[in-house]
């Protein structure tokens, strides 16, 4: 399947890199964001690999989640596309999700 990353999710990935580069170092930031990108690519081949996201069920859009370390990759399957809508630090308050 094709994978499409929203501008919002891409911005979140940049913020994750920036945070880890500042708080730890660039190597750690690279490793964490590479793992997230690798998992996003994996979802293209395994779109049903993630569980349904119960915190977004009220939207009735079929949001799923894939957990990568401390991060949730939130996505939907839209026809032949895996649409990544958010990358969310699961240690935060869930009310901060972009929905």
């Amino acid at each position: 399947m094709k994978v499409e990353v929203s501008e919002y999710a891409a911005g979140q990935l940049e913020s994750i890199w920036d945070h880890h580069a500042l708080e730890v170092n660039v190597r750690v930031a690279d490793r964490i964001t590479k793992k997230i990108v690798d998992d996003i690519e994996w979802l293209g081949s395994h779109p049903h690999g993630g569980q349904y996201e119960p915190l977004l069920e009220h939207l009735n859009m079929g949001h799923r989640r894939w957990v990568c370390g401390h991060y949730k990759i939130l996505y939907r399957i839209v026809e032949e596309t895996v649409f990544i809508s958010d990358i969310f630090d699961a240690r935060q308050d869930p009310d901060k999700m972009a929905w």
Side-chain angles (χ1 to χ4, degrees):
M1 283 191 148
K2 177 182 164 189
V3 175
E4 185 177 328
V5 178
S6 72
E7 283 186 40
Y8 183 81
Q12 290 296 94
L13 188 61
E14 273 187 44
S15 295
I16 291 165
W17 189 92
D18 290 345
H19 169 77
H20 288 289
L22 181 65
E23 295 296 320
V24 186
N25 63 48
V26 170
R27 262 193 5 235
V28 169
D30 286 345
R31 188 182 76 235
I32 290 170
T33 55
K34 181 183 181 327
K35 174 69 171 127
I36 293 170
V37 169
D38 289 348
D39 283 8
I40 287 171
E41 290 174 1
W42 182 85
L43 287 169
S45 300
H46 304 88
H48 298 283
Q51 299 175 326
Y52 284 103
E53 175 54 67
L55 297 173
L56 299 177
E57 281 181 344
H58 66 282
L59 297 174
N60 295 318
M61 297 175 74
H63 285 91
R64 292 175 172 264
R65 70 173 182 251
W66 180 257
V67 178
C68 176
H70 293 293
Y71 298 95
K72 280 185 186 181
I73 299 168
L74 299 170
Y75 70 99
R76 296 181 297 127
I77 301 168
V78 181
E79 297 176 10
E80 293 298 315
T81 301
V82 174
F83 181 74
I84 310 297
S85 55
D86 194 359
I87 302 167
F88 181 77
D89 187 336
R91 297 169 291 185
Q92 296 179 33
D93 180 347
D95 289 337
K96 290 184 178 179
M97 275 194 276
W99 303 103

